[in-house]
Amino acid sequence: MINNVLDFLYNTALTKPDKTAFVMREDSYTFKELKDEVQKIGAALADKGCNKEPVIIFMDKHPKELAAFWGTVAAGCYYVPIDSEMPGARIDLILQSSEAKFIIADSNNIDKAKSLANFSGEILLYDDLTAHNLTQDDTAKLEQIKRNAIDTDPIYIVFTSGTTGIPKGITACHRSVIDYAVSFAEELKLDENCIFANQAPLYFDAYIKDVYPTVMFGATTHMVPKQLFMFPVKLVEFLNENKVNTLCWAVSALTIISQFKTFNTVKPEYVNKIAFVGEVFPTKQFKIWQEALPKCEFTNLYGPTETTGVCCYYHVNKKIEDGDIIPIGRPFKNTGILLLKDDGTEANEGEEGEICVRGTCVTLGYYNNPSKTAENFVPNPLNRNYTEIIYKTGDLARMRDDGNLIFVSRKDFQIKHMGQRIELGEIEANVDMVDGIDACCCVYNQEKDKIVLFYVGTPEVKELSSLLRTKLQPYMLPNFYRKLDAIPLTPNGKKDRNLLKSMM
């Protein structure tokens, strides 16, 4: 039984040592090369007394960053990825919250790491760690560290935005990542023949969907340079040049391609499997993908970082028509979903309830933040016999009669306006169906009690306003409209509602 994520890499390095694992531009690692780097880093960290503690990874996206992740795990520690382009104030908050004593930086970021005013620990250059001369004693030490580890030990901390402005460090363990990776790969029928194009930044948990199947099966992952997402035609050409056949991407990354009519110029020739996640896929954009790739298998994924990435899936096995809603589907194996009403009782079929998740996918909570952890990681109110922790997602859904979940909205996207309860997601869904609309986002100014619609597309404000009067109840109509060149996105590819609120 696998109880340590390193087993995936170590096993594959034995069976497929010379196969290419990860590629970034001209740089690449075979599985054996990757394992060797991981063990050198692990031994070097262990020599410094680093044990059962967080290690900051301050590096550019590259296969070396993955080696730093797993090298940290080999030392019996857990990695904390930081985006090198983060504002200094946010980095300071993460350093303060994690209380890390070590930073691993690459040559591009070592000077920036040394300039961090509020870090008093040791800064380690990646190249120095991998220059470590691995001895038999080192190998024995690493084996002992691995033998002493258990599957509920932490593997990483991913920091996401907090409502108070203080980042929340979500802590995952070996067992949650292993269960997720195995169930995800099984349900999507991934294998060694997969060639992935990694879109997700490595400082978010979304990378697990392509990185871990790669080391599980001995597949290959090409890391997409983020600059390509500004040039959709070149992006698709990149997929074709590398014969990419599997995409696990954020919805926003896929719509970058479809909304700019890229398929009129070039189509992905090899892609036969697409899993999408992050937000609701606008029907109009999804239809473009279905029509361009009629033989491709599409899977809608759902899940917050607190559930180790995703917890539900839905295989889209029919042609989507205007107005259709793509379900978020059913929970993965060994995962349970409860729909709870505000009174703590379970919602009936067709009733809305908050999605609450139970099972090994539920992470360990927020690092060094017991009060916030206690708010969202709570005892299951339906289980009176023993303590069972569930995660309250803050997302509303309802169950269809076929057993598939339909996402409704965020609880905090539900507003009360003109005396009526309104789902901002319902307004957005109707806007998305308007001809000429490429993207939209609805936000609410509570102080002024005003709904503001930001959109990208050809209709002018007057025309769009008139069309929405035929689709929405009067109390749901936006009070203001703003036409933009693009909807701003957060680093993990979701609509940046906070930035849009600042533009109101």
Side-chain angles (χ1 to χ4, degrees):
M1 182 178 107
I2 288 179
N3 68 347
N4 189 306
V5 295
L6 293 174
D7 288 332
F8 290 140
L9 173 61
Y10 290 178
N11 293 343
T12 302
L14 285 174
T15 58
K16 297 180 177 68
D18 300 322
K19 185 174 180 183
T20 299
F22 298 100
V23 185
M24 181 70 170
R25 296 188 179 93
E26 292 77 29
D27 297 336
S28 65
Y29 274 145
T30 65
F31 287 101
K32 183 181 184 306
E33 289 169 340
L34 182 59
K35 179 191 175 185
D36 290 346
E37 297 279 80
V38 165
Q39 293 199 310
K40 290 175 183 178
I41 294 167
L45 288 174
D47 279 354
K48 291 183 174 294
C50 186
N51 183 44
K52 296 187 182 300
E53 59 185 288
V55 176
I56 302 290
I57 311 298
F58 198 65
M59 299 175 65
D60 292 339
K61 183 176 180 178
H62 189 276
K64 290 181 178 180
E65 188 173 9
L66 296 175
F69 287 179
W70 291 319
T72 299
V73 176
C77 300
Y78 35 103
Y79 54 91
V80 186
I82 287 186
D83 177 14
S84 58
E85 297 180 2
M86 276 181 190
R90 180 175 173 82
I91 293 175
D92 286 344
L93 289 170
I94 292 175
L95 293 173
Q96 178 182 339
S97 177
S98 68
E99 298 179 346
K101 296 183 292 188
F102 295 93
I103 291 178
I104 299 176
D106 55 17
S107 57
N108 291 339
N109 294 287
I110 189 73
D111 289 338
K112 187 173 181 179
K114 290 177 179 178
S115 70
L116 296 172
N118 295 315
F119 182 72
S120 57
E122 188 172 358
I123 297 171
L124 309 170
L125 180 64
Y126 176 91
D127 292 341
D128 290 344
L129 295 176
T130 54
H132 182 89
N133 183 26
L134 196 68
T135 66
Q136 287 186 340
D137 287 344
D138 288 328
T139 302
K141 183 188 295 184
L142 293 177
E143 288 176 354
Q144 185 62 45
I145 290 171
K146 187 170 175 291
R147 193 178 301 117
N148 291 340
I150 60 175
D151 64 4
T152 52
D153 286 341
I155 172 177
Y156 65 72
I157 306 172
V158 170
F159 279 86
T160 62
S161 298
T163 54
T164 61
I166 299 175
K168 299 179 298 184
I170 298 160
T171 311
C173 68
H174 287 267
R175 177 48 51 196
S176 63
V177 173
I178 291 167
D179 268 16
Y180 164 38
V182 170
S183 298
F184 178 77
E186 180 181 311
E187 194 57 52
L188 271 74
K189 298 180 175 59
L190 306 178
D191 58 27
E192 66 185 76
N193 299 311
C194 288
I195 301 177
F196 297 96
N198 166 257
Q199 168 262 324
L202 299 186
Y203 50 87
F204 288 111
D205 64 314
Y207 75 88
I208 293 175
K209 290 187 287 297
D210 35 45
V211 165
Y212 274 91
T214 294
V215 294
M216 285 168 61
F217 300 113
T220 298
T221 289
H222 292 267
M223 295 181 166
V224 185
K226 68 178 182 180
Q227 296 88 344
L228 284 182
F229 288 94
M230 296 186 287
F231 305 100
V233 170
K234 291 183 178 180
L235 176 57
V236 176
E237 289 174 346
F238 173 91
L239 302 180
N240 290 337
E241 287 166 9
N242 294 294
K243 298 184 178 181
V244 170
N245 56 30
T246 307
L247 301 180
C248 302
W249 283 14
V251 168
S252 58
L254 294 168
T255 56
I256 283 171
I257 293 174
S258 56
Q259 73 184 34
F260 286 101
K261 300 180 173 58
T262 307
F263 297 142
N264 293 343
T265 303
V266 61
K267 295 180 182 179
E269 297 174 15
Y270 302 93
V271 172
N272 56 34
K273 201 182 298 287
I274 296 177
F276 54 94
V277 70
E279 294 190 282
V280 175
F281 208 139
T283 304
K284 185 163 37 181
Q285 299 299 325
F286 184 76
K287 284 176 62 180
I288 294 172
W289 275 93
Q290 269 195 324
E291 290 166 6
L293 302 177
K295 295 182 180 180
C296 184
E297 298 173 3
F298 293 90
T299 302
N300 187 18
L301 303 173
Y302 163 82
T305 302
E306 287 86 346
T307 62
T308 323
V310 295
C311 55
C312 291
Y313 69 94
Y314 177 79
H315 297 307
V316 185
N317 51 17
K318 68 167 190 171
K319 188 175 177 60
I320 294 298
E321 303 296 340
D322 289 339
D324 284 351
I325 297 174
I326 303 174
I328 58 174
R330 305 170 183 272
F332 282 99
K333 184 186 295 184
N334 206 31
T335 298
I337 300 292
L338 307 172
L339 291 185
L340 298 183
K341 296 189 289 188
D342 288 342
D343 62 2
T345 61
E346 198 162 12
N348 295 318
E349 182 182 299
E351 284 187 318
E352 287 184 14
E354 181 179 4
I355 300 174
C356 297
V357 186
R358 67 190 190 96
T360 56
C361 69
V362 176
T363 52
L364 302 177
Y366 302 118
Y367 197 73
N368 277 341
N369 196 340
S371 60
K372 191 65 180 176
T373 298
E375 286 181 28
N376 296 325
F377 294 80
V378 302
N380 181 358
L382 304 181
N383 185 348
R384 306 293 184 186
N385 301 314
Y386 58 89
T387 301
E388 177 190 27
I389 297 299
I390 61 174
Y391 173 68
K392 298 173 61 178
T393 67
D395 291 331
L396 298 174
R398 56 184 174 81
M399 183 76 74
R400 286 198 322 198
D401 56 6
D402 64 358
N404 283 304
L405 288 167
I406 297 292
F407 177 82
V408 176
S409 75
R410 286 285 302 166
K411 286 182 76 173
D412 48 14
F413 292 169
Q414 186 180 76
I415 64 170
K416 192 164 187 180
H417 177 64
M418 296 178 64
Q420 303 286 339
R421 291 198 177 276
I422 299 171
E423 301 289 354
L424 295 179
E426 184 177 351
I427 301 174
E428 293 176 355
N430 279 276
V431 175
D432 280 329
M433 287 188 283
V434 173
D435 287 340
I437 294 294
D438 295 322
C440 73
C441 186
C442 218
V443 295
Y444 176 61
N445 185 322
Q446 189 167 7
E447 292 180 3
K448 297 180 179 178
D449 191 25
K450 301 295 183 185
I451 299 171
V452 182
L453 174 67
F454 295 88
Y455 73 97
V456 177
T458 55
E460 296 301 325
V461 168
K462 187 174 181 180
E463 178 188 1
L464 180 57
S465 174
S466 178
L467 283 168
L468 290 182
R469 286 192 181 93
T470 67
K471 295 174 173 289
L472 297 171
Q473 296 282 4
Y475 60 82
M476 298 179 70
L477 291 169
N479 303 104
F480 297 102
Y481 296 75
R482 286 281 304 277
K483 188 175 181 180
L484 302 175
D485 293 330
I487 298 294
L489 303 175
T490 62
N492 61 341
K494 296 185 179 181
K495 297 170 185 175
D496 195 335
R497 297 177 187 272
N498 288 332
L499 179 58
L500 289 174
K501 284 181 180 180
S502 72
M503 298 164 57
M504 293 171 64

